[in-house]
Amino acid sequence: MVYWAKEGRENTEATIRAALKYAAEKGIDYLVVASSTGSTAEKLINCGKQVVCVTYQAGFKEAGQLTMQPAVRQRLQQAGIPVLATTHLMAGLDRALRFKFQGVYPSEIIAYTLRMFGQGVKVCVEVAVMALDAGLIPFGQEVVVVAGSGRGADTAVAMVPAHSQYIFDSKITEIICKPRDFSHH
């Protein structure tokens, strides 16, 4: 396990190297990457692994709009990297209730609990489960997941995700790398 001194995009290249090295050593075929603009996912084109990109849902920043430009999405898909843009697992309807009624709801409690390990670990779990629910990675198989604390990547984990309705059956088998100093976003 590697700890970066602090969170942030300056760790992206080293995080990707660590994730690919781990996947190669362990014989893991699938890599799931969180990527809002697609730039982190583009670094995995032709990496020798089956890569799945999970991006923000439409409307996350601006109503009706994706954060990833269509040309980037097309470039990734032409390179064999499917791009999943769908409702965020740990937001969705619970977040709508929080916005409307100012309460705290179960999926947000799960998210905040995972954030005790850093935002990147929370995002890794979230996007792996989303990719599994979308049928883009195989059930019951260990995958390597790359995510970050905003822009770029600073966290990689190995895990066996479970479908969302059984999320507590997910297993983080190893934390490959993460920032040691982080905020709770």
Side-chain angles (χ1 to χ4, degrees):
M1 181 171 171
V2 177
Y3 292 104
W4 310 132
K6 60 182 184 171
E7 66 187 8
R9 73 172 75 184
E10 62 271 11
N11 300 306
T12 300
E13 298 291 340
T15 297
I16 288 172
R17 280 194 306 276
L20 289 171
K21 181 176 186 269
Y22 183 93
E25 288 172 357
K26 301 290 186 180
I28 295 173
D29 297 323
Y30 284 83
L31 233 90
V32 179
V33 59
S35 191
S36 58
T37 64
S39 64
T40 302
E42 284 183 309
K43 295 176 189 316
L44 291 164
I45 290 174
N46 298 323
C47 71
K49 297 291 175 186
Q50 300 256 356
V51 178
V52 173
C53 174
V54 180
T55 191
Y56 286 131
Q57 68 183 60
F60 185 78
K61 302 242 181 201
E62 187 180 336
Q65 300 298 309
L66 290 168
T67 55
M68 187 181 294
Q69 294 299 314
V72 175
R73 185 178 186 143
Q74 184 177 11
R75 197 163 43 248
L76 289 168
Q77 290 174 325
Q78 285 174 341
I81 299 176
V83 177
L84 177 63
T86 189
T87 304
H88 292 191
L89 178 65
M90 294 185 208
L93 297 176
D94 278 1
R95 186 166 289 167
L97 290 167
R98 178 171 55 91
F99 288 166
K100 186 75 170 175
F101 302 110
Q102 291 76 46
V104 177
Y105 300 92
S107 63
E108 292 188 330
I109 294 169
I110 295 166
Y112 274 90
T113 301
L114 287 167
R115 283 188 188 105
M116 291 192 305
F117 296 96
Q119 175 71 3
V121 172
K122 175 264 191 192
V123 175
C124 282
V125 171
E126 186 170 38
V127 299
V129 172
M130 290 165 67
L132 181 64
D133 278 358
L136 296 174
I137 56 175
F139 173 76
Q141 193 168 316
E142 189 174 32
V143 298
V144 170
V145 192
V146 174
S149 304
R151 296 286 181 164
D154 59 18
T155 305
V157 305
M159 68 176 292
V160 180
H163 287 290
S164 58
Q165 67 269 37
Y166 303 109
I167 191 166
F168 297 112
D169 292 337
S170 296
K171 294 178 187 167
I172 298 174
T173 52
E174 290 193 51
I175 295 175
I176 300 163
C177 60
K178 70 179 272 315
R180 188 175 190 291
D181 187 23
F182 56 87
S183 61
H184 281 85
H185 294 278

